[in-house]
């Protein structure tokens, strides 16, 4: 059997088992979704949102990219965010990174890696802003992991800078924003930063006519 055929085989088994456990499983989900969470995570194959949070289809709306970035010119991320917040009305937006992230490590080097340079530039900016704190740590892995935490914090703050979140905070007093880091070595998620609806942000980013 070719490797990809295994996936299709697994899928048939999964569909059958899902029906066996819950005959209404697909009927319930086929026409509607009402997820409570939007997840913005790293594309890394070792950090699958559903598995690590014990959630099932229909529970989490998901956007993933390299190093779980919230880039204000990224129409893909912004479209997902707008739909999740304004149509699905998610209660929580979670930015989840992970320790030892290859994207963050690459951003700390001086290597040109092609088109991804433009994406990693956004992480280099976070590195520059927090350089003194990161550089004061003794080992490379501590430095990488601290940048990963600070990057999560910056990406959560980037969410709060969007008109989408500010409008939702004003109109619905939601969603609650969360910054989490997943540990590849122990499978545990560590919450490191959060912003409740209405949290004060740097005034230059506040829109007063929403
Ligand atoms: Co990663």
């Amino acid at each position: 059997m070719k490797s990809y055929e295994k996936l299709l085989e697994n899928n048939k088994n999964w569909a059958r088992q899902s029906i066996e456990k819950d005959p209404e499983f697909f009927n319930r989900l086929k026409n509607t979704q009402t997820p409570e969470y939007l997840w913005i995570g790293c594309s890394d194959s070792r950090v699958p949102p559903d598995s690590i949070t014990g959630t099932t289809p229909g529970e989490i709306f998901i956007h993933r990219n390299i190093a779980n970035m919230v880039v204000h010119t990224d129409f893909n991320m912004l479209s997902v965010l707008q739909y999740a917040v304004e149509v699905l009305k998610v209660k929580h937006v979670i930015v989840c990174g992970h320790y030892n992230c290859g994207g963050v490590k690459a951003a700390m080097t001086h290597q040109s890696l092609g088109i991804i340079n433009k994406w990693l530039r956004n992480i280099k900016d976070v590195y520059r802003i927090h350089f003194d704190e990161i550089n004061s740590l003794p080992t490379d892995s501590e430095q990488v992991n601290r940048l990963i935490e600070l990057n999560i914090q910056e990406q959560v703050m980037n969410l709060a800078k969007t008109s989408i979140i500010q409008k939702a905070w004003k109109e619905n007093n939601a969603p609650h924003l969360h910054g989490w880091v997943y540990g590849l070595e122990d499978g545990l998620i560590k919450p490191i930063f959060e912003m409740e609806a209405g949290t004060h942000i740097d005034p230059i980013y506040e829109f007063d006519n929403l």
Side-chain angles (χ1 to χ4, degrees):
M1 197 190 284
K2 299 214 170 59
S3 68
Y4 69 89
E5 288 173 337
K6 182 75 185 147
L7 303 187
L8 298 171
E9 201 54 38
N10 290 347
N11 167 255
K12 281 194 198 111
N13 293 334
W14 173 79
R16 199 190 59 246
Q17 285 162 6
S18 298
I19 293 270
E20 279 167 11
K21 268 191 273 177
D22 175 4
E24 288 305 303
F25 186 72
F26 294 110
N27 279 340
R28 235 187 0 259
L29 289 169
K30 70 183 178 192
N31 293 322
T32 181
Q33 60 169 337
T34 53
E36 212 177 298
Y37 316 97
L38 165 62
W39 178 279
I40 298 173
C42 185
S43 299
D44 195 301
S45 64
R46 298 165 296 177
V47 195
D50 284 326
S51 315
I52 65 173
T53 58
T55 47
T56 54
E59 291 192 82
I60 308 190
F61 203 64
I62 295 171
H63 176 81
R64 292 172 76 176
N65 60 43
I66 289 171
N68 39 266
M69 301 300 287
V70 176
V71 176
H72 71 99
T73 51
D74 177 1
F75 285 104
N76 186 352
M77 181 278 300
L78 290 170
S79 302
V80 170
L81 180 67
Q82 182 176 16
Y83 188 75
V85 171
E86 295 182 3
V87 180
L88 299 173
K89 300 199 184 307
V90 295
K91 296 190 177 77
H92 302 273
V93 180
I94 298 157
V95 180
C96 186
H98 62 101
Y99 290 115
N100 206 25
C101 180
V104 173
K105 284 204 276 192
M108 293 175 87
T109 73
H110 297 277
Q111 249 196 313
S112 174
L113 300 162
I115 195 155
I116 198 177
N117 290 345
K118 288 157 182 59
W119 192 252
L120 300 182
R121 246 293 301 278
N122 298 295
I123 308 173
K124 286 180 189 280
D125 291 342
V126 180
Y127 189 23
R128 175 176 50 76
I129 293 166
H130 299 282
F131 184 80
D132 290 342
E133 179 186 342
I134 293 163
N135 205 41
S136 72
L137 295 168
T139 66
D140 285 353
S141 73
E142 283 170 288
Q143 292 186 8
V144 170
N145 287 341
R146 187 60 187 142
L147 177 54
I148 284 161
E149 293 177 346
L150 291 165
N151 186 48
I152 290 289
Q153 187 178 311
E154 290 290 334
Q155 302 321 311
V156 172
M157 293 196 299
N158 282 347
L159 283 173
K161 291 171 190 168
T162 65
S163 57
I164 299 165
I165 291 296
Q166 288 185 34
K167 191 158 174 270
W169 278 4
K170 199 170 167 188
E171 290 174 357
N172 307 318
N173 201 35
H176 190 154
L177 311 181
H178 306 261
W180 294 355
V181 189
Y182 173 80
L184 293 171
E185 68 290 337
D186 59 9
L188 295 174
I189 293 170
K190 181 168 142 194
I192 55 150
F193 186 70
E194 66 180 316
M195 292 178 89
E196 281 178 38
T199 301
H200 182 71
I201 61 171
D202 191 311
I204 195 62
Y205 299 107
E206 268 173 18
F207 298 111
D208 57 13
N209 61 333
L210 291 171

